[in-house]
Amino acid sequence: MESIGTETHGLRTVAGVTDGLHRTTTMTPQDTTDDGTDDETDGTGRTNRPKTRRRDFLAATGAGVGAFGLAGCVGNLGGPGGGGGGGGGGDGPIKVGHLAPVQLDMGKGSMRSARLAVEEINSNGGIMDRDVELVEGDTQASPSQASNLVNEMVNQDNVSMISGTFASEVTLGILDRVGNTGVPLLDTGSASPRITQEYPAQDYETFKNVFRVGPVNSNFQADLLADYGKFLSDTHGWNSFAVVVEDAEWTKPMTQRTGQRMEAEHGLEVTMTQRIAPDTSDFAPVLDSIANSGADAHIKAISHITGTAMLSSWGSNDYPFGEEGINVASMSPQYWGDTNGGCLYETTSETGAAGVAPITEKTVPFAKQYEEKHAESRPTAPMYMGFGTYDAMYVYKNAVEAAGTANYQENLDTIVAELEGTDYTGTSGLPGGTVARGRIGR
């Protein structure tokens, strides 16, 4: 069911080849054929038990509901055309949007996971007996590109929800517009705590329609990296660490919290803390500095930086410290080949590249289904974003069915209440696979 139509500024092309805005529409299973190929751009449980109010949780922790940016024209706040089924109204298909940088393994895995979920939902009656249509957009990791795409999704495609995104910079760059549209947003890729602390926590009424399904926000990731340092100390006797991360929005907590927690909570030595530009290509000076600091290990957090290049420089120069931490590139099953086996002695905190554990009863079946469908084309596993995106489709399905409507233009508060009240255990378990008031996106 990967046959698609492609739109570029409203013009339809063929064979899935896109240019311009890279916006594609995946039709329902009844309208598609499955030839096993990829295009170029390339349930459930709820509880209504009392919980802490979402706005209070957000204000207290900055860690609750995540926010994904959705662009919309301020002059068209009522949404797309009356009577045409826009915003989830009418009797036609319910359109859901997905945004990601699909030239990256992470974005492509998420896109494919969204397709799998939509295919399954349609094969089981759709949402409220209506087919679901997936509208895809390639953000190219650009805030301006994403802004243009979501503006079209809301005002031309009439989507009822958007999921996905990846870079926190992209998400933050389009957040102001999402509050003006009201369309439900389920972020499945961005980790910056600012997304919650500076938007729904401070202006709940405007941003109540934005949610984070995953990943765990980077305040938590920063603390876990510090605790991992303690594990390395206990296991290997490594007691000194260089915290060197990419200069990106999501890594700010690593600079602010990881080293401090290592020293204060675990009695470890932090030899240096540094942020490096995402466009760095020569890593020798950075790695030299780490070696000169006397660190036993490098604790990193990289996503925008090409992880293979850093690892190659580390391995070929026999630096006397371990490479540890978060390297998003290593989540791909193809990472071993990408590094020619150089990642043998790199340890990273990742998901999915080497297989999955049965975190919930849904984890392994979903991963196997994905892998069977994409065994010949990278990425051959969903990546972390894929798990979240797959779950997000079902979270949305459950919420609007409980609300009895997908029309957010007229029933936003009802839909938001159901999203906040959802308790859904998905493929990735807690917290990434469960959405609930006070827990969503943490």
Side-chain angles (χ1 to χ4, degrees), residues 71-399:
C73 294
V74 175
N76 188 23
L77 299 186
D91 299 321
I94 294 175
K95 296 183 180 181
V96 295
H98 177 263
L99 292 175
V102 299
Q103 74 277 12
L104 303 178
D105 282 354
M106 184 65 70
K108 190 184 297 183
S110 180
M111 176 188 69
R112 291 170 167 178
S113 299
R115 292 175 180 177
L116 283 175
V118 168
E119 289 170 9
E120 288 179 359
I121 290 170
N122 282 333
S123 67
N124 288 283
I127 296 178
M128 297 183 295
D129 296 322
R130 295 167 62 184
D131 284 337
V132 180
E133 186 175 316
L134 181 64
V135 180
E136 300 170 355
D138 178 5
T139 67
Q140 301 176 7
S142 163
S144 61
Q145 174 82 350
S147 183
N148 289 334
L149 284 167
V150 295
N151 189 56
E152 291 197 7
M153 285 185 178
V154 171
N155 293 295
Q156 296 182 28
D157 297 310
N158 301 335
V159 299
S160 301
M161 179 274 281
I162 291 182
S163 66
T165 187
F166 176 52
S168 292
E169 289 82 0
V170 171
T171 303
L172 290 164
I174 54 181
L175 271 178
D176 283 336
R177 294 176 181 252
V178 65
N180 291 327
T181 66
V183 65
L185 277 292
L186 277 71
D187 172 18
T188 64
S190 305
S192 171
R194 284 187 57 206
I195 295 168
T196 58
Q197 291 172 339
E198 297 182 13
Y199 290 87
Q202 295 185 13
D203 188 355
Y204 176 84
E205 193 58 33
T206 299
F207 297 103
K208 62 189 176 185
N209 55 314
V210 293
F211 295 81
R212 175 189 279 139
V213 176
V216 176
N217 87 41
S218 51
N219 277 338
F220 290 87
Q221 294 182 39
D223 291 348
L224 289 170
L225 283 177
D227 297 343
Y228 181 58
K230 177 62 165 58
F231 169 82
L232 293 173
S233 175
D234 293 343
T235 304
H236 301 302
W238 296 352
N239 298 310
S240 58
F241 298 89
V243 180
V244 180
V245 303
E246 68 183 9
D247 188 10
E249 191 64 45
W250 75 282
T251 64
K252 288 181 178 179
M254 284 69 168
T255 303
Q256 299 161 355
R257 299 169 67 114
T258 300
Q260 181 181 20
R261 183 177 176 89
M262 281 182 164
E263 293 177 332
E265 298 291 329
H266 303 307
L268 303 172
E269 178 187 2
V270 177
T271 62
M272 63 181 290
T273 299
Q274 183 178 340
R275 298 175 68 79
I276 55 179
D279 61 355
T280 298
S281 58
D282 181 5
F283 294 99
V286 176
L287 298 173
D288 286 346
S289 295
I290 296 172
N292 293 335
S293 76
D296 293 323
H298 168 204
I299 297 294
K300 63 189 173 189
I302 58 175
S303 175
H304 302 73
I305 284 176
T306 304
T308 53
M310 176 183 284
L311 187 69
S312 176
S313 182
W314 171 74
S316 62
N317 289 285
D318 294 323
Y319 284 100
F321 55 82
E323 277 289 298
E324 312 287 333
I326 300 173
N327 177 4
V328 170
S330 70
M331 296 182 184
S332 172
Q334 282 63 59
Y335 187 63
W336 176 269
D338 292 344
T339 62
N340 294 315
C343 59
L344 178 62
Y345 297 106
E346 177 189 30
T347 305
T348 60
S349 172
E350 316 298 356
T351 56
V356 297
I359 299 172
T360 76
E361 62 183 10
K362 300 172 186 175
T363 309
V364 173
F366 163 64
K368 285 185 176 180
Q369 181 184 12
Y370 180 101
E371 291 163 4
E372 289 171 0
K373 192 175 184 67
H374 301 292
E376 303 301 323
S377 174
R378 69 180 300 160
T380 54
M383 316 281 285
Y384 83 74
M385 204 174 152
F387 288 93
T389 297
Y390 178 87
D391 289 342
M393 295 297 172
Y394 281 99
V395 167
Y396 175 72
K397 174 185 185 303
N398 294 346

